[in-house]
Amino acid sequence: MSTESITLLLANYNNGQYLRACLDSVLAQTSDRWRCIVLDDASTDDSAEVYAEYEGEPRIRIEHNPENLGYIGTLQRLIAMAETDSGHASRAMTQSSASTVLLTAAC
């Protein structure tokens, strides 16, 4: 049995039409050794309604930018969040026990 864990980073801006399929795909994984950090970049579509459907899932953490930071700004915040959660993301990425995966908004 593998002890590897994976952190998925998902940046979203106005991709509510794809979010449900994306998050359902993540939840459908056969391994339970993952977590997902979603960072919304001040979306104005129905993304908030989709997020509400996943509030009870402890492996999915949904965060929001207070204003639109753009794709690069959002990615930088996501990576910082992963570093904060793991303590040292760069160390975690070099060890076989942890991995970080960056997903695009449409997953």
Side-chain angles (χ1 to χ4, degrees):
M1 181 164 106
S2 173
T3 60
E4 185 172 333
S5 63
I6 298 172
T7 299
L8 304 166
L9 304 177
L10 175 62
N12 177 56
Y13 176 70
N14 286 344
N15 284 294
Q17 64 183 341
Y18 304 109
L19 272 176
R20 189 172 293 104
C22 179
L23 294 173
D24 285 348
S25 176
V26 170
L27 285 168
Q29 300 306 303
T30 56
S31 171
D32 64 353
R33 309 234 354 124
W34 59 268
R35 65 193 173 113
C36 181
I37 303 172
V38 180
L39 181 56
D40 187 88
D41 194 22
S43 292
T44 58
D45 66 351
D46 66 337
S47 294
E49 289 82 14
V50 176
Y51 297 142
E53 297 175 27
Y54 298 89
E55 284 180 354
E57 174 52 60
R59 296 173 295 175
I60 297 177
R61 175 179 151 199
I62 299 170
E63 299 288 337
H64 302 272
N65 285 337
E67 61 184 14
N68 186 290
L69 300 180
Y71 187 63
I72 298 301
T74 299
L75 293 181
Q76 289 171 332
R77 281 203 67 212
L78 269 171
I79 292 167
M81 287 176 184
E83 289 174 350
T84 300
D85 283 356
S86 69
H88 300 286
S90 59
R91 179 191 53 153
M93 286 186 213
T94 61
Q95 295 177 344
S96 62
S97 62
S99 298
T100 301
V101 177
L102 184 61
L103 302 174
T104 62
C107 201

